[in-house]
Coordinates of all heavy atoms in Angstrom, one line a residue:
M1 N 109.1 96.4 103.6 CA 109.9 97.2 102.6 C 108.9 98.2 101.9 O 107.8 97.8 101.5 CB 110.5 96.2 101.7 CG 111.4 96.9 100.7 SD 112.2 95.7 99.7 CE 113.5 96.6 99.0
T2 N 109.4 99.4 101.8 CA 108.6 100.4 101.1 C 109.0 100.6 99.7 O 110.2 100.3 99.3 CB 108.6 101.7 101.8 OG1 110.0 102.2 101.9 CG2 108.1 101.6 103.2
C3 N 108.1 101.0 98.9 CA 108.4 101.3 97.4 C 109.1 102.7 97.3 O 109.0 103.5 98.2 CB 107.2 101.1 96.6 SG 106.0 102.5 96.7
P4 N 109.6 102.9 96.1 CA 110.2 104.2 95.8 C 109.2 105.4 96.0 O 109.6 106.5 96.5 CB 110.7 104.2 94.4 CG 110.9 102.7 94.1 CD 109.8 102.0 94.9
D5 N 107.9 105.2 95.7 CA 107.0 106.3 95.9 C 106.7 106.5 97.4 O 106.5 107.7 97.8 CB 105.6 105.9 95.2 CG 105.7 106.2 93.7 OD1 106.3 107.2 93.3 OD2 105.3 105.3 92.9
C6 N 106.7 105.5 98.2 CA 106.5 105.7 99.6 C 107.7 106.4 100.2 O 107.6 107.3 101.0 CB 106.3 104.4 100.3 SG 104.7 103.7 100.1
Q7 N 108.9 106.1 99.8 CA 110.1 106.7 100.2 C 110.1 108.2 99.8 O 110.5 109.1 100.6 CB 111.4 106.0 99.7 CG 111.6 104.6 100.3 CD 112.7 103.8 99.6 OE1 113.2 104.2 98.5 NE2 113.0 102.7 100.2
A8 N 109.7 108.5 98.6 CA 109.6 109.9 98.1 C 108.6 110.7 98.9 O 108.8 111.8 99.2 CB 109.3 109.9 96.6
A9 N 107.5 110.0 99.3 CA 106.5 110.7 100.0 C 106.9 111.0 101.5 O 106.5 112.0 102.1 CB 105.2 109.9 100.1
D10 N 107.8 110.1 102.0 CA 108.4 110.3 103.3 C 109.3 111.6 103.3 O 109.3 112.3 104.2 CB 109.1 109.1 103.8 CG 108.3 108.0 104.4 OD1 107.1 108.3 104.7 OD2 108.8 106.9 104.5
A11 N 110.0 111.8 102.2 CA 110.9 112.9 102.1 C 110.1 114.2 101.7 O 110.5 115.3 102.1 CB 111.9 112.6 101.0
D12 N 109.0 114.0 100.9 CA 108.2 115.2 100.4 C 106.8 114.8 100.4 O 106.3 114.1 99.5 CB 108.7 115.6 99.0 CG 107.9 116.8 98.5 OD1 107.1 117.4 99.2 OD2 108.1 117.1 97.3
P13 N 106.0 115.2 101.5 CA 104.6 114.8 101.5 C 103.7 115.3 100.3 O 102.7 114.7 100.1 CB 104.1 115.6 102.8 CG 105.3 115.8 103.6 CD 106.4 116.0 102.6
R14 N 104.3 116.2 99.5 CA 103.5 116.6 98.3 C 103.7 115.6 97.1 O 103.0 115.7 96.1 CB 103.9 118.0 97.9 CG 103.6 119.0 98.9 CD 104.2 120.3 98.5 NE 105.7 120.1 98.5 CZ 106.6 121.0 98.3 NH1 106.2 122.3 98.1 NH2 107.9 120.8 98.4
H15 N 104.5 114.6 97.3 CA 104.8 113.6 96.3 C 103.4 112.9 96.0 O 102.7 112.4 96.9 CB 105.8 112.5 96.7 CG 106.0 111.5 95.7 ND1 106.8 111.7 94.6 CD2 105.6 110.2 95.7 CE1 106.8 110.6 93.9 NE2 106.1 109.6 94.5
S16 N 103.1 112.8 94.7 CA 101.8 112.3 94.3 C 101.8 111.0 93.6 O 100.8 110.5 93.0 CB 101.1 113.3 93.4 OG 101.8 113.5 92.2
G17 N 103.0 110.3 93.6 CA 103.0 109.0 93.0 C 102.5 107.9 93.9 O 102.7 107.9 95.1
Y18 N 101.8 106.9 93.3 CA 101.2 105.8 94.0 C 101.4 104.5 93.2 O 101.4 104.6 91.9 CB 99.7 106.0 94.3 CG 99.4 107.2 95.1 CD1 99.1 108.4 94.6 CD2 99.4 107.1 96.5 CE1 98.8 109.5 95.4 CE2 99.1 108.1 97.3 CZ 98.8 109.3 96.7 OH 98.5 110.4 97.5
R19 N 101.6 103.4 93.8 CA 101.6 102.1 93.1 C 100.5 101.2 93.7 O 100.4 101.0 94.9 CB 103.0 101.4 93.4 CG 104.1 102.2 92.8 CD 105.5 101.7 93.2 NE 106.5 102.6 92.8 CZ 107.4 102.3 91.8 NH1 107.4 101.2 91.3 NH2 108.3 103.2 91.5
A20 N 99.8 100.6 92.8 CA 98.6 99.8 93.1 C 99.1 98.6 93.9 O 98.3 98.1 94.7 CB 97.8 99.4 91.9
D21 N 100.3 98.1 93.7 CA 100.7 96.9 94.3 C 101.4 97.1 95.7 O 102.0 96.2 96.3 CB 101.6 96.0 93.4 CG 102.9 96.8 93.0 OD1 102.9 98.0 93.2 OD2 103.8 96.1 92.5
C22 N 101.4 98.3 96.2 CA 102.1 98.7 97.4 C 101.0 99.0 98.5 O 100.2 99.9 98.3 CB 103.0 99.9 97.2 SG 103.8 100.5 98.7
R23 N 101.1 98.3 99.6 CA 100.2 98.5 100.7 C 100.4 99.9 101.3 O 99.4 100.6 101.6 CB 100.5 97.5 101.8 CG 99.6 97.4 102.9 CD 100.0 96.2 103.8 NE 99.0 96.0 104.8 CZ 98.0 95.2 104.7 NH1 97.9 94.4 103.7 NH2 97.1 95.1 105.7
G24 N 101.6 100.4 101.4 CA 101.9 101.8 101.9 C 101.2 102.8 101.0 O 100.7 103.8 101.5
C25 N 101.3 102.7 99.7 CA 100.7 103.6 98.8 C 99.2 103.6 98.9 O 98.6 104.7 98.9 CB 101.1 103.3 97.3 SG 102.8 103.7 96.9
R26 N 98.6 102.4 99.1 CA 97.2 102.4 99.2 C 96.7 103.1 100.5 O 95.7 103.8 100.6 CB 96.7 100.9 99.2 CG 96.9 100.3 97.8 CD 96.1 99.0 97.6 NE 96.3 98.0 98.6 CZ 97.3 97.1 98.6 NH1 98.1 97.0 97.6 NH2 97.4 96.2 99.6
A27 N 97.5 102.9 101.6 CA 97.2 103.6 102.8 C 97.4 105.1 102.7 O 96.5 105.9 103.1 CB 98.2 103.1 104.0
R28 N 98.4 105.6 102.0 CA 98.6 107.0 101.7 C 97.4 107.6 100.9 O 97.0 108.7 101.2 CB 99.9 107.3 101.0 CG 101.1 107.2 101.8 CD 102.4 107.7 101.1 NE 102.7 107.1 99.9 CZ 102.6 107.6 98.7 NH1 102.3 108.9 98.5 NH2 102.9 106.9 97.6
M29 N 97.0 106.8 99.9 CA 95.9 107.2 99.1 C 94.7 107.5 99.9 O 94.0 108.5 99.7 CB 95.7 106.2 97.9 CG 94.6 106.6 97.0 SD 94.2 105.4 95.8 CE 93.6 104.1 96.8
L30 N 94.3 106.5 100.7 CA 93.1 106.7 101.6 C 93.3 107.8 102.6 O 92.4 108.5 102.9 CB 92.8 105.4 102.3 CG 91.8 104.5 101.6 CD1 91.5 103.2 102.3 CD2 90.5 105.2 101.3
A31 N 94.5 108.0 103.1 CA 94.8 109.1 104.0 C 94.5 110.4 103.4 O 94.2 111.4 104.1 CB 96.2 109.0 104.5
H32 N 94.6 110.5 102.1 CA 94.4 111.8 101.4 C 92.9 111.9 100.8 O 92.6 112.8 100.2 CB 95.3 111.9 100.2 CG 96.7 112.4 100.6 ND1 97.0 113.6 101.1 CD2 97.9 111.7 100.4 CE1 98.3 113.7 101.3 NE2 98.8 112.6 100.9
S33 N 92.1 110.9 101.1 CA 90.8 110.8 100.5 C 89.8 111.6 101.3 O 89.9 111.8 102.5 CB 90.4 109.4 100.4 OG 90.0 108.9 101.7
P34 N 88.7 112.0 100.6 CA 87.6 112.6 101.3 C 86.9 111.7 102.3 O 86.4 112.1 103.3 CB 86.6 113.0 100.2 CG 87.4 113.0 98.9 CD 88.5 112.0 99.2
L35 N 87.0 110.4 102.1 CA 86.4 109.4 103.0 C 87.1 109.5 104.3 O 86.4 109.5 105.4 CB 86.5 108.0 102.4 CG 85.7 107.6 101.2 CD1 86.1 106.3 100.7 CD2 84.2 107.7 101.6
F36 N 88.4 109.5 104.4 CA 89.2 109.6 105.6 C 88.9 111.0 106.3 O 88.7 111.0 107.5 CB 90.6 109.4 105.3 CG 91.5 109.5 106.6 CD1 91.4 108.4 107.5 CD2 92.3 110.5 106.8 CE1 92.2 108.5 108.7 CE2 93.1 110.6 107.9 CZ 93.1 109.6 108.9
F37 N 88.9 112.0 105.5 CA 88.7 113.4 106.1 C 87.4 113.4 106.8 O 87.3 114.0 107.9 CB 88.8 114.4 104.9 CG 88.5 115.8 105.4 CD1 89.4 116.5 106.1 CD2 87.2 116.3 105.2 CE1 89.2 117.8 106.5 CE2 86.9 117.6 105.6 CZ 87.9 118.4 106.3
E38 N 86.4 112.9 106.1 CA 85.0 113.0 106.7 C 84.9 112.2 108.0 O 84.3 112.6 109.0 CB 84.0 112.5 105.7 CG 82.5 112.6 106.2 CD 82.0 114.0 106.6 OE1 82.7 115.0 106.1 OE2 81.0 114.1 107.3
C39 N 85.6 111.0 108.0 CA 85.6 110.2 109.2 C 86.3 110.9 110.4 O 85.9 110.9 111.5 CB 86.2 108.8 109.0 SG 85.3 107.8 107.9
A40 N 87.4 111.5 110.1 CA 88.1 112.3 111.1 C 87.3 113.5 111.6 O 87.3 113.8 112.8 CB 89.5 112.8 110.5
R41 N 86.6 114.1 110.7 CA 85.7 115.2 111.0 C 84.6 114.9 112.0 O 84.4 115.5 113.0 CB 85.2 115.9 109.8 CG 84.5 117.2 110.1 CD 83.8 117.8 108.8 NE 82.7 117.0 108.3 CZ 81.5 117.1 108.9 NH1 81.3 117.9 109.9 NH2 80.5 116.4 108.4
V42 N 83.9 113.7 111.7 CA 82.8 113.4 112.5 C 83.2 112.4 113.7 O 82.4 112.2 114.6 CB 81.7 112.7 111.7 CG1 81.1 113.7 110.6 CG2 82.1 111.4 111.1
G43 N 84.4 111.9 113.7 CA 84.8 111.1 114.8 C 84.3 109.6 114.8 O 84.4 109.0 115.8
R44 N 83.9 109.1 113.6 CA 83.6 107.7 113.5 C 83.8 107.3 112.1 O 83.8 108.1 111.1 CB 82.1 107.5 113.9 CG 81.1 108.2 113.2 CD 79.7 107.9 113.8 NE 78.7 108.7 113.1 CZ 78.1 108.4 112.0 NH1 78.3 107.2 111.4 NH2 77.2 109.2 111.4
L45 N 83.9 106.0 111.9 CA 84.1 105.4 110.6 C 82.8 105.1 109.8 O 82.0 104.4 110.3 CB 84.9 104.1 110.7 CG 86.2 104.1 111.5 CD1 86.9 102.7 111.4 CD2 87.1 105.2 111.0
S46 N 82.7 105.7 108.6 CA 81.5 105.5 107.8 C 81.6 104.1 107.1 O 82.7 103.5 107.0 CB 81.4 106.6 106.8 OG 82.5 106.4 105.8
Q47 N 80.5 103.7 106.7 CA 80.4 102.4 106.0 C 81.2 102.5 104.7 O 81.9 101.5 104.3 CB 79.0 101.9 105.7 CG 78.9 100.5 105.2 CD 79.5 99.5 106.1 OE1 79.2 99.4 107.3 NE2 80.4 98.7 105.5
A48 N 81.1 103.6 104.0 CA 81.9 103.8 102.7 C 83.4 103.7 103.0 O 84.1 103.0 102.2 CB 81.5 105.1 102.1
Y49 N 83.8 104.3 104.1 CA 85.3 104.2 104.4 C 85.7 102.7 104.8 O 86.7 102.2 104.3 CB 85.6 105.1 105.5 CG 87.0 105.1 106.0 CD1 88.1 105.6 105.2 CD2 87.3 104.6 107.3 CE1 89.4 105.5 105.7 CE2 88.6 104.5 107.7 CZ 89.6 105.0 106.9 OH 90.9 104.9 107.4
R50 N 84.8 102.1 105.5 CA 85.1 100.7 105.9 C 85.1 99.8 104.6 O 86.0 98.9 104.5 CB 84.0 100.2 106.9 CG 84.1 100.7 108.2 CD 82.9 100.2 109.1 NE 82.7 101.0 110.3 CZ 83.2 100.6 111.5 NH1 83.9 99.5 111.6 NH2 83.0 101.4 112.5
D51 N 84.2 100.1 103.7 CA 84.2 99.3 102.4 C 85.5 99.6 101.7 O 86.1 98.6 101.1 CB 83.0 99.7 101.6 CG 81.7 99.3 102.2 OD1 81.7 98.4 103.1 OD2 80.7 99.8 101.7
A52 N 86.0 100.8 101.7 CA 87.3 101.1 101.0 C 88.4 100.4 101.6 O 89.3 99.9 100.9 CB 87.5 102.6 100.9
L53 N 88.5 100.4 103.0 CA 89.5 99.6 103.7 C 89.5 98.2 103.3 O 90.6 97.6 103.0 CB 89.3 99.8 105.2 CG 89.6 101.1 105.8 CD1 89.2 101.1 107.3 CD2 91.1 101.5 105.7
A54 N 88.3 97.6 103.3 CA 88.2 96.2 102.9 C 88.6 95.9 101.5 O 89.3 94.9 101.2 CB 86.8 95.7 103.1
L55 N 88.2 96.8 100.6 CA 88.6 96.7 99.2 C 90.1 96.7 99.0 O 90.7 96.0 98.2 CB 87.9 97.8 98.3 CG 88.1 97.7 96.8 CD1 87.5 96.5 96.2 CD2 87.5 98.9 96.2
D56 N 90.8 97.6 99.7 CA 92.2 97.8 99.6 C 93.0 96.8 100.4 O 94.2 96.7 100.3 CB 92.6 99.2 99.9 CG 92.4 100.2 98.8 OD1 92.3 99.8 97.6 OD2 92.2 101.4 99.1
G57 N 92.3 96.1 101.4 CA 93.0 95.2 102.2 C 93.9 95.8 103.2 O 95.0 95.2 103.5
I58 N 93.6 97.0 103.7 CA 94.4 97.7 104.7 C 93.6 98.0 105.9 O 92.4 97.9 105.9 CB 95.1 99.0 104.1 CG1 94.0 99.9 103.6 CG2 96.1 98.6 103.0 CD1 94.6 101.2 103.0
T59 N 94.2 98.4 107.0 CA 93.5 98.7 108.2 C 93.4 100.2 108.4 O 94.2 101.0 107.8 CB 94.3 98.1 109.4 OG1 95.5 98.8 109.6 CG2 94.5 96.6 109.2
H60 N 92.5 100.6 109.3 CA 92.4 102.0 109.6 C 93.6 102.5 110.3 O 94.1 103.7 110.1 CB 91.1 102.2 110.6 CG 90.9 103.6 111.1 ND1 90.8 104.7 110.2 CD2 90.9 104.1 112.3 CE1 90.6 105.8 110.9 NE2 90.7 105.4 112.2
G61 N 94.3 101.7 111.1 CA 95.5 102.1 111.7 C 96.6 102.4 110.7 O 97.4 103.3 110.9
E62 N 96.7 101.7 109.7 CA 97.7 101.9 108.6 C 97.4 103.3 108.0 O 98.3 104.1 107.7 CB 97.7 100.8 107.6 CG 98.2 99.5 108.0 CD 98.1 98.4 107.0 OE1 96.9 98.1 106.7 OE2 99.1 97.9 106.6
V63 N 96.1 103.6 107.7 CA 95.8 104.9 107.1 C 96.1 106.0 108.1 O 96.6 107.0 107.7 CB 94.3 104.9 106.7 CG1 93.9 106.2 106.1 CG2 94.0 103.8 105.7
K64 N 95.7 105.8 109.4 CA 96.0 106.9 110.4 C 97.6 107.1 110.5 O 98.0 108.3 110.5 CB 95.5 106.5 111.7 CG 94.0 106.7 111.9 CD 93.4 106.5 113.2 CE 94.3 105.9 114.3 NZ 93.6 105.7 115.6
A65 N 98.3 106.1 110.4 CA 99.8 106.2 110.5 C 100.3 106.9 109.3 O 101.2 107.8 109.4 CB 100.4 104.8 110.6
A66 N 99.8 106.6 108.1 CA 100.2 107.3 106.9 C 99.9 108.7 106.9 O 100.7 109.6 106.6 CB 99.5 106.6 105.7
S67 N 98.7 109.1 107.4 CA 98.3 110.4 107.6 C 99.2 111.2 108.5 O 99.6 112.3 108.2 CB 96.8 110.5 108.1 OG 96.4 111.8 108.3
M68 N 99.5 110.6 109.6 CA 100.4 111.3 110.6 C 101.8 111.5 110.0 O 102.4 112.5 110.2 CB 100.5 110.5 111.9 CG 99.1 110.5 112.6 SD 99.1 109.4 114.0 CE 100.0 110.4 115.2
R69 N 102.3 110.5 109.3 CA 103.6 110.6 108.7 C 103.6 111.8 107.6 O 104.6 112.6 107.6 CB 104.1 109.3 108.0 CG 104.7 108.3 108.9 CD 105.4 107.2 108.1 NE 104.6 106.6 107.1 CZ 103.7 105.6 107.4 NH1 103.5 105.2 108.6 NH2 103.0 105.1 106.4
L70 N 102.6 111.8 106.9 CA 102.5 112.9 105.8 C 102.3 114.3 106.4 O 102.7 115.2 105.8 CB 101.3 112.6 104.9 CG 101.5 111.3 104.1 CD1 100.2 111.0 103.3 CD2 102.7 111.4 103.2
K71 N 101.8 114.4 107.6 CA 101.7 115.6 108.3 C 102.9 116.0 109.1 O 102.9 117.0 109.8 CB 100.4 115.6 109.2 CG 99.2 115.6 108.4 CD 98.0 115.5 109.4 CE 96.7 115.4 108.6 NZ 95.5 115.3 109.4
G72 N 103.9 115.1 109.1 CA 105.1 115.4 109.9 C 105.1 115.0 111.3 O 106.0 115.2 112.1
A73 N 104.0 114.3 111.7 CA 103.9 113.8 113.1 C 104.4 112.4 113.2 O 104.8 111.8 112.2 CB 102.4 113.8 113.6
T74 N 104.4 111.8 114.4 CA 104.9 110.4 114.5 C 103.6 109.6 114.7 O 102.6 110.0 115.3 CB 105.8 110.3 115.7 OG1 105.1 110.7 116.9 CG2 107.1 111.0 115.6
A75 N 103.8 108.3 114.2 CA 102.6 107.4 114.3 C 102.5 106.8 115.7 O 103.5 106.7 116.4 CB 102.8 106.3 113.3

């Protein structure tokens, strides 16, 4: 189940609301982060990004899927 902020972000990728207790929001937040951007640019996962994933308790796959949804692509 997704939260109201995730639903709003699905309708409008510019939605900037996040909830700390929502796994989807944490994935969206990392998808918008410089850490994710840099990993995508260089083609490998940095230790800082891996640490952020572990801290948030989410997977790289969840972040990639959130990024693709926000760009209007399919996961």
Side-chain angles (χ1 to χ4, degrees):
M1 182 176 200
T2 60
C3 77
D5 283 315
C6 285
Q7 292 172 349
D10 282 343
D12 179 6
R14 296 171 298 186
H15 178 75
S16 61
Y18 298 94
R19 295 171 189 249
D21 62 343
C22 175
R23 187 176 189 95
C25 285
R26 293 193 311 267
R28 282 190 305 112
M29 180 185 64
L30 267 179
H32 283 295
S33 75
L35 290 172
F36 180 72
F37 175 80
E38 181 64 15
C39 291
R41 187 183 71 77
V42 299
R44 62 183 172 86
L45 305 184
S46 68
Q47 188 59 51
Y49 177 69
R50 289 176 195 263
D51 292 345
L53 289 172
L55 182 65
D56 282 334
I58 57 177
T59 67
H60 177 59
E62 289 173 301
V63 177
K64 285 187 348 183
S67 175
M68 292 174 76
R69 276 193 308 277
L70 295 174
K71 292 179 182 175
T74 58

